């Protein structure tokens, strides 16, 4: 048998990138490559890049170095958002042979010819306006959950964000494709699917390469709820202005959708929201949270927030802090604003110093710990269903309830990838929650 080439992947950034890496990996497989871990010696290393934070730039160089250390003759390809935005910069990194932009990454095997090292990285990146076709993808990283991409690109023009530049216009997968992918995932005994995209609430736009809406996000949710074999569906992150009351109502009565919402806020100050060109004011956000609490009091609500945006004064920041403190939410993802080239915000006055950004970030992270603790405490004594994961961490197995409470119990391999009815008993010193099984058979 001929010697098959080995390929390894490294993904930086979001869940959407993970789902796309999986799809690219399956393409390699179809072309006769064997996938190995990134820690192993491979003939090709593919790095899926991210452009959201400054850190991602630095991380990329470290990952290339790691690949070169494993095999200095390996062919290194960079794909993804950063590759679309700064192709020349990535191509100049020592060791990089190929840089592919937003549309080319899905045809990577067409660009890899004889695998000989290049003196300078070869660049193939389209004008982002050409990124108007849709490539469906999903990732199966672990046995318990999969990320299913339903939408790509964004038509919003938030002043801090490079994603429209990196991923192009908003476009969606056809409903029948999404349902087909969901069926393929559930056939592999995966219990939970997380819906992912750049702006998933915009689903339905551009299924036909145009702006016509054939289906809405609500149609998608309703259709997925009927797919046999899926135990749980989770909506990853959805804009407050696109999360409609009908969707919230539907999730509250749904068979498979779990009571967990992740809704970006970015700022609790209307002045800053306007500077960011977000498409809502804080009052809309309050309405959404109140609606969720009204129909699903036990729901988990996560919030994205950015600190240190240009023009954010102490008063603006305190407005955000108090707004979040008073709201019945469950945890925060806190991002420290970092300047990105070719964004409007990069040229705005009122730059916030790095140490003030860091201080504000620390305050909100502290608030997040407090909020998560309060949410977990509110769930003690309740009966929930847990999906257990596959890792043995220091003698414990972990899992998440449908409303995203992290639980732990002594390791038992028979629990892996199973759903168990449990009662939440107490919060452990590491912050996760201990449990009692309601079904005695599940106990060791």
């Amino acid at each position: 048998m001929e010697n098959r080439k080995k390929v390894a992947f490294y993904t930086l950034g979001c869940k959407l990138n993970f789902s796309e890496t999986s799809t690219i990996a399956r393409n390699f497989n179809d072309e006769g490559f064997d996938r190995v871990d990134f820690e192993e010696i491979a003939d090709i290393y593919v790095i899926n890049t991210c452009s959201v934070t400054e850190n991602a730039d630095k991380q990329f160089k470290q990952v290339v170095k790691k690949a070169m250390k494993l095999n200095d003759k390996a062919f290194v390809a960079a794909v993804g958002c950063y590759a679309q935005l700064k192709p020349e910069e990535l191509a100049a990194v020592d060791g990089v042979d190929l840089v592919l932009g937003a549309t080319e990454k899905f045809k990577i095997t067409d660009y890899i010819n004889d695998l000989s090292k290049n003196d300078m990285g070869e660049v193939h990146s389209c004008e982002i306006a050409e990124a108007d076709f849709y490539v469906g993808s999903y990732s199966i990283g672990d046995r318990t959950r999969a990320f299913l991409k339903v939408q790509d690109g964004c038509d919003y023009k938030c002043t801090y964000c490079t994603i429209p530049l990196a991923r192009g216009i908003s476009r969606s997968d056809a409903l029948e494709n999404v349902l087909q992918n969901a069926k393929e995932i559930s056939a592999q005994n995966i219990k939970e699917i997380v819906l992912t995209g750049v702006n998933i609430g915009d689903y339905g736009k551009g299924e036909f390469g145009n702006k016509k809406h054939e289906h809405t996000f609500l149609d998608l949710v309703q259709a997925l709820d009927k797919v046999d074999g899926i135990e749980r569906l989770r909506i990853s992150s959805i804009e407050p202005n696109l999360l409609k009351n009908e969707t919230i109502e539907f999730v509250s009565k749904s068979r498979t959708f779990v009571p967990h919402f992740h809704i970006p806020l970015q700022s609790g100050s209307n002045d800053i929201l306007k500077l960011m060109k977000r498409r809502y004011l804080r009052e809309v956000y309050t309405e959404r949270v109140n609606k969720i609490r009204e129909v699903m009091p036990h729901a988990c609500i996560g919030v994205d927030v950015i600190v240190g945006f240009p023009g954010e004064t102490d008063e603006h920041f305190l407005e955000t802090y108090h707004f979040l403190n008073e709201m019945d939410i469950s945890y925060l993802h806190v991002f420290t604003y970092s300047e990105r080239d070719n964004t409007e915000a990069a040229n705005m006055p009122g730059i916030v110093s790095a140490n003030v950004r860091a201080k504000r970030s620390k305050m909100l992270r502290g608030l997040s710990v407090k909020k998560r603790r309060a949410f977990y405490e509110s769930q003690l004594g309740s009966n929930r269903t847990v999906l257990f994961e596959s890792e043995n961490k220091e003698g414990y197995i972990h899992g998440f309830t449908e409303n995203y409470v992290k639980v732990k119990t002594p390791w038992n391999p028979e629990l892996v990838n199973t759903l168990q009815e449990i009662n939440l008993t107490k919060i452990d010193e590491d912050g996760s929650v201990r449990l009692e099984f309601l079904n005695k058979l599940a106990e060791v």
Side-chain angles (χ1 to χ4, degrees), residues 200-377:
I200 63 174
D202 210 23
Y203 175 82
K205 198 182 264 190
E207 276 176 68
F208 303 98
N210 57 24
K211 291 297 170 198
K212 190 172 127 203
H213 278 264
E214 179 75 2
H215 294 103
T216 63
F217 184 67
L218 180 60
D219 294 338
L220 171 73
V221 167
Q222 288 171 330
L224 280 167
D225 197 46
K226 297 191 185 99
V227 175
D228 280 344
I230 299 174
E231 306 269 356
R232 274 186 180 182
L233 283 153
R234 204 177 285 280
I235 297 167
S236 62
S237 176
I238 184 164
E239 294 283 303
N241 50 308
L242 295 172
L243 177 57
K244 301 286 188 261
N245 283 346
E246 297 82 28
T247 305
I248 296 171
E249 294 270 1
F250 182 78
V251 168
S252 74
K253 301 184 187 75
S254 140
R255 180 181 71 87
T256 51
F257 277 89
V258 294
H260 175 204
F261 294 89
H262 193 93
I263 315 167
L265 169 68
Q266 311 310 16
S267 174
S269 157
N270 282 341
D271 295 346
I272 300 296
L273 287 173
K274 286 172 188 167
L275 285 175
M276 289 175 165
K277 290 195 177 163
R278 299 293 284 156
R279 300 214 175 177
Y280 54 86
L281 295 175
R282 59 187 251 165
E283 290 72 16
V284 169
Y285 202 92
T286 307
E287 276 170 30
R288 292 299 174 270
V289 171
N290 291 346
K291 178 68 186 172
I292 294 167
R293 286 282 166 244
E294 178 198 318
V295 294
M296 287 171 273
H298 62 297
C300 179
I301 302 174
V303 183
D304 285 343
V305 61
I306 295 171
V307 296
F309 189 79
E312 184 185 62
T313 61
D314 285 346
E315 289 71 27
H316 289 133
F317 172 71
L318 287 173
E319 232 185 303
T320 297
Y321 187 91
H322 294 310
F323 181 68
L324 289 165
N325 191 30
E326 282 153 30
M327 202 177 296
D328 192 356
I329 52 149
S330 316
Y331 64 89
L332 305 171
H333 280 173
V334 183
F335 298 90
T336 304
Y337 171 74
S338 63
E339 284 78 2
R340 315 308 286 150
D341 289 348
N342 302 318
T343 58
E344 238 181 285
N347 303 314
M348 284 182 179
I351 293 170
V352 177
S353 69
N355 61 339
V356 171
R357 290 184 209 187
K359 198 171 103 189
R360 288 176 186 172
S361 171
K362 195 174 171 186
M363 277 177 74
L364 284 183
R365 285 173 206 274
L367 180 61
S368 182
V369 170
K370 194 178 104 179
K371 286 285 184 187
R372 194 185 295 269
R373 176 96 194 181
F375 173 61
Y376 281 10
E377 280 174 359

Side-chain angles (χ1 to χ4, degrees), residues 38-187:
F38 203 83
E39 317 298 323
E40 295 178 41
I41 292 174
D43 302 290
I44 305 177
Y45 292 95
V46 179
I47 305 164
N48 195 351
T49 62
C50 167
S51 68
V52 173
T53 63
E54 222 173 347
N55 236 359
D57 315 359
K58 296 190 192 90
Q59 280 176 302
F60 174 74
K61 289 181 177 144
Q62 287 162 356
V63 177
V64 174
K65 239 186 215 147
K66 195 168 156 186
M68 291 285 85
K69 220 179 231 166
L70 288 161
N71 178 7
D72 60 2
K73 295 189 174 51
F75 189 88
V76 176
V79 302
C81 292
Y82 194 33
Q84 175 67 36
L85 290 175
K86 301 276 182 81
E88 310 300 337
E89 210 171 283
L90 291 194
V93 172
D94 205 22
V96 174
D97 300 293
L98 178 68
V99 179
L100 297 181
T103 61
E104 292 78 8
K105 65 188 171 195
F106 294 110
K107 304 188 288 250
I108 181 168
T109 51
D110 299 353
Y111 292 98
I112 290 173
N113 35 41
D114 60 355
L115 298 189
S116 53
K117 297 290 287 172
N118 295 323
D119 292 340
M120 175 79 182
E122 217 182 286
V123 174
H124 297 275
S125 77
C126 64
E127 284 305 310
I128 197 61
E130 292 163 24
D132 57 0
F133 63 89
Y134 184 84
V135 177
S137 48
Y138 59 84
S139 81
I140 298 177
D142 62 39
R143 286 159 53 188
T144 47
R145 72 172 56 84
F147 298 112
L148 171 58
K149 173 180 161 186
V150 299
Q151 183 274 343
D152 199 351
C154 188
D155 293 338
Y156 287 8
K157 299 282 185 284
C158 301
T159 53
Y160 52 82
C161 186
T162 54
I163 286 174
L165 301 171
R167 283 186 169 270
I169 58 169
S170 177
R171 54 211 189 272
S172 314
D173 206 349
L175 190 58
E176 56 273 22
N177 280 356
V178 175
L179 296 175
Q180 183 53 40
N181 283 340
K183 284 173 190 151
E184 283 175 25
I185 293 167
S186 71

